Amino acid sequence: VVIFDLDDTLVISDAKIRVLDSKTGDEIKALTPAEFNTFEKKPKHVLSFDDFDNPTILAQAKIIHSIFRQLKKFYKSNIPVSIVTARSNQEMVRNFFLTKGIDIHEDLCIAVNDPKYPYTGAIEERKQQAMLEIIDKGFQYVVFFDDHAGNLREAKKIEKLRKGVKI
């Protein structure tokens, strides 16, 4: 199976993580996903990920063609393709790929912050839990594309958790 992250791996969108003041609700700053990867949240911060639930913002995203071509190549070769994203709306993500002519199987399109999933912890941990679920469907060899080093490190740890699995 080939697993792809979405934001900053396959697409770059205008979606931002809004850092809000917990007392006033005022926006302190807006972060790109890349900026969020190194952001240190303070107790007075509340984070809003609402932009990532907006299908219009996703539809207008710029495709990262070099990686998207890889996804299409695997898909056309009948190699199972999966999406594991930090987003919180699995149906919206799946529909985005359908508009591109790519039918990601529902069980392989996972938005780890969607309330329908039982994942817990930080994004890295949630993505690892999703990958373990995918692997437990019978996959032994996984290729994983993600822009965040922490996600890649957590994925590599799976080799110690599941004997015979190669990431």
Side-chain angles (χ1 to χ4, degrees):
V1 65
V2 183
I3 301 174
F4 290 87
D5 171 45
L6 180 59
D7 291 287
D8 289 359
T9 300
L10 288 168
V11 301
I12 297 173
S13 78
D14 289 335
K16 302 276 191 291
I17 299 100
R18 311 281 171 187
V19 181
L20 310 175
D21 182 291
S22 62
K23 287 187 175 48
T24 65
D26 293 340
E27 184 175 307
I28 297 168
K29 63 173 71 175
L31 304 168
T32 66
E35 292 167 333
F36 181 70
N37 286 341
T38 58
F39 175 72
E40 292 192 29
K41 184 180 178 285
K42 294 186 172 86
K44 69 174 188 160
H45 293 156
V46 173
L47 301 177
S48 169
F49 296 88
D50 290 351
D51 284 8
F52 293 89
D53 290 332
N54 185 324
T56 304
I57 292 175
L58 180 56
Q60 294 170 349
K62 295 176 198 77
I63 302 291
I64 300 173
H65 292 287
S66 58
I67 306 298
F68 215 91
R69 271 194 295 276
Q70 293 290 321
L71 182 149
K72 285 190 204 173
K73 190 167 81 175
F74 290 120
Y75 181 75
K76 287 179 182 170
S77 300
N78 290 319
I79 293 168
V81 171
S82 173
I83 302 298
V84 175
T85 176
R87 288 180 179 248
S88 60
N89 186 328
Q90 181 260 357
E91 187 178 336
M92 181 186 71
V93 172
R94 189 160 184 271
N95 287 337
F96 169 78
F97 283 96
L98 287 171
T99 67
K100 307 292 180 210
I102 299 167
D103 186 0
I104 306 289
H105 190 282
E106 187 175 359
D107 293 344
L108 297 178
C109 184
I110 300 173
V112 300
N113 286 304
D114 192 315
K116 74 184 196 176
Y117 296 109
Y119 311 129
T120 58
I123 299 301
E124 293 94 343
E125 296 165 306
R126 289 171 182 250
K127 284 189 171 189
Q128 185 194 64
Q129 293 163 34
M131 290 178 71
L132 286 166
E133 197 173 281
I134 291 167
I135 288 164
D136 289 345
K137 294 180 188 315
F139 298 106
Q140 295 287 300
Y141 184 74
V142 178
V143 177
F144 182 43
F145 289 81
D146 198 298
D147 65 296
H148 186 265
N151 294 332
L152 296 170
R153 278 192 300 275
E154 285 301 308
K156 195 69 177 159
K157 291 178 184 176
I158 290 172
E159 292 178 340
K160 290 183 176 77
L161 299 172
R162 296 290 190 277
K163 296 290 179 228
V165 171
K166 182 74 178 140
I167 307 290

